Amino acid sequence: EEFVLNASITSFLFAGAMVGTLILGPLGDRIGRKPILWWSGFIISVAGLGTSVCTGYAQLIPVLFMVGFGVGGLTVPFDILAEFLPTEERGRYLLYIKYFWTLGCMIVPAVGYLSLEVFDSWRLFAALCAIPSIISTVIGVRFVPESPRWLVSKGRGEEALSILRDGAMKNGLDPEVIFPNGCVLADEEKDESNFAELLSPKWRNLTLLLWVVWGGYAFSYYAAIMTVTRIFDEEDDNAGPDFDYMAIFISSCAEVVGTALAISQVDVLGRRPTLVASFALAGVSMFFLCLLSGHAAPRITLIALAFAARAFEMAGACVAWISTAELLSTEIRATGHSAANAVARLGGFSAPFLVEGKSSIVVVGFVLLAVNTATAICSSLLPETKGIEMGKAALLKEEEKQKHVPPII
């Protein structure tokens, strides 16, 4: 019964994220990136605080669903940043912001220890976890402008120029020199911004590959976190959970290393090789972590394997976000990115039923090895986007294919 309740709570969070991403993502292509940034942050903040005052599962589940719904819109702010950055700097700077995600992952065990162990209050834990969302939402609404690329795609070139001139001024440049009067911004390619377009002949193959990669990496990423927590739960089951917080904290610090690894390789090896290597090594690390944990391996060995697994999972996840934003054109970017994120929610939704169910820890390791291997294979089939203008890599690959098609006689 306890497993069903715990898995249900986690899965409703992911279900909310899946629904949210299917609604908020396409809206980002239709009404703009910035309004979705505001609504996503507002929903997460309010619902996050709401969890701290829930009095039972009947209240907690719908509130967590709304937290997930807000999380579903977070691909859109990421796309705003991607659309501002120049091609040669895009990979690195998109990865720098992942340190904030990593910082959050590192803080959660510390906040959990303080609120759950010291003050014995899960309500305090829920309230404290909502504070960063409130702060970031206020800052984002105040300082983040609308995407000029999106404005151009909607025929609002003058508004886009105004934002770019303001950015030039803030960077100590003369806006009238960089963007002189009479300057016209290049048009963005026009695509229908709906889910049906993702399965049109133009985008179908790429869409399906991205869905497998996102579903696979999300399943593996969240399953890895849950598996590490399961392994470092002290053994006295009758007394309830008694976590090895230090081991969990050390493994969460691996996300810093994973992000740094992605930053160091994404513009050297490229997006595709980094994806393949990260997922393959993550699968191997998780397999041996699960295998050895079932044979009473030394604690230091398990911590090292957990550290490696989470570092490689994080590296792969980081680069998947970059590649997806770079592969899709402006008109369909938020819709396509959100569709991939929805598939990721399905992966995350499924993870608790593997890790928190009745499967042995060794079976969990075998499954994670298989999923990571499949994700690595599909990643190897994605077009490379390093050094290529946003939205052009997939089209260039398709043009290259057409050149090698023999003429029909």
Side-chain angles (χ1 to χ4, degrees):
E1 183 180 354
E2 182 182 356
F3 157 68
V4 173
L5 288 173
N6 290 338
S8 296
I9 288 173
T10 306
S11 296
F12 267 98
L13 182 68
F14 284 116
M18 184 176 69
V19 174
T21 200
L22 291 173
I23 294 174
L24 296 175
L27 282 175
D29 280 331
R30 294 176 187 174
I31 68 174
R33 312 317 197 203
K34 188 168 182 177
I36 303 306
L37 184 156
W38 151 247
W39 279 109
S40 296
F42 177 79
I43 292 169
I44 295 169
S45 300
V46 172
L49 282 176
T51 60
S52 67
V53 297
C54 291
T55 57
Y57 284 109
Q59 293 179 4
L60 185 62
I61 285 177
V63 173
L64 283 177
F65 182 91
M66 289 308 299
V67 172
F69 186 91
V71 169
L74 294 185
T75 56
V76 177
F78 184 87
D79 291 338
I80 294 177
L81 179 59
E83 290 169 348
F84 265 102
L85 295 170
T87 300
E88 62 275 9
E89 304 287 349
R90 192 168 54 237
R92 223 161 16 97
Y93 280 93
L94 285 175
L95 286 172
Y96 284 149
I97 67 168
K98 290 294 185 180
Y99 278 123
F100 290 94
W101 173 278
T102 302
L103 179 62
C105 290
M106 293 171 60
I107 290 174
V108 166
V111 173
Y113 177 79
L114 177 69
S115 54
L116 299 175
E117 298 293 328
V118 177
F119 291 99
D120 192 25
S121 173
W122 68 266
R123 296 182 188 278
L124 176 63
F125 177 71
L128 290 175
C129 287
I131 292 174
S133 176
I134 297 170
I135 295 172
S136 61
T137 299
V138 172
I139 293 173
V141 171
R142 174 65 181 84
F143 294 105
V144 177
E146 183 56 87
S147 164
R149 281 181 179 267
W150 180 82
L151 290 169
V152 170
S153 75
K154 297 299 181 182
R156 296 160 62 180
E158 286 303 315
E159 293 177 61
L161 271 174
S162 175
I163 291 172
L164 292 173
R165 285 170 176 153
D166 183 58
M169 189 181 303
K170 289 178 178 177
N171 282 279
L173 303 173
D174 185 346
E176 297 304 323
V177 173
I178 306 298
F179 302 104
N181 289 332
C183 172
V184 177
L185 298 176
D187 285 337
E188 289 289 323
E189 183 177 350
K190 300 295 188 297
D191 274 319
E192 293 294 325
S193 56
N194 56 59
F195 290 112
E197 179 64 20
L198 293 175
L199 295 176
S200 67
K202 178 180 178 181
W203 295 107
R204 184 187 303 123
N205 289 342
L206 177 62
T207 295
L208 295 176
L209 281 174
L210 287 174
W211 286 357
V212 174
V213 170
W214 275 68
Y217 104 66
F219 178 88
S220 301
Y221 178 86
Y222 289 108
I225 294 173
M226 295 174 192
T227 302
V228 169
T229 303
R230 174 177 166 179
I231 288 172
F232 292 110
D233 179 2
E234 304 296 340
E235 295 183 356
D236 188 2
D237 294 333
N238 294 326
D242 183 15
F243 299 113
D244 184 342
Y245 284 99
M246 182 55 67
I248 295 172
F249 175 75
I250 292 172
S251 70
S252 71
C253 292
E255 301 214 353
V256 176
V257 176
T259 303
L261 179 65
I263 290 172
S264 69
Q265 298 303 313
V266 72
D267 287 323
V268 178
L269 294 178
R271 279 55 161 165
R272 185 170 55 195
T274 306
L275 281 169
V276 173
S278 296
F279 291 131
L281 291 170
V284 172
S285 299
M286 281 305 303
F287 173 74
F288 281 107
L289 172 64
C290 294
L291 184 67
L292 294 178
S293 70
H295 292 81
R299 177 173 178 268
I300 188 64
T301 301
L302 297 181
I303 291 176
L305 286 168
F307 190 95
R310 290 197 61 176
F312 290 127
E313 292 284 10
M314 183 63 180
C318 287
V319 181
W321 276 70
I322 294 174
S323 294
T324 303
E326 292 176 331
L327 285 166
L328 299 166
S329 64
T330 300
E331 274 288 283
I332 204 171
R333 183 168 295 119
T335 300
H337 206 163
S338 67
N341 197 27
V343 177
R345 297 315 106 193
L346 285 174
F349 184 96
S350 305
F353 293 96
L354 170 70
V355 181
E356 297 177 5
K358 297 180 179 179
S359 300
S360 71
I361 198 68
V362 175
V363 169
V364 171
F366 272 109
V367 172
L368 289 178
L369 175 62
V371 171
N372 274 290
T373 300
T375 306
I377 291 170
C378 288
S379 297
S380 71
L381 302 175
L382 291 172
E384 178 57 66
T385 56
K386 184 182 76 169
I388 300 176
E389 185 181 345
M390 290 187 76
K392 301 298 183 184
L395 301 178
L396 291 173
K397 185 174 181 179
E398 190 62 32
E399 289 175 5
E400 188 66 25
K401 283 183 180 178
Q402 294 299 324
K403 290 179 182 178
H404 294 88
V405 174
I408 299 175
I409 301 176

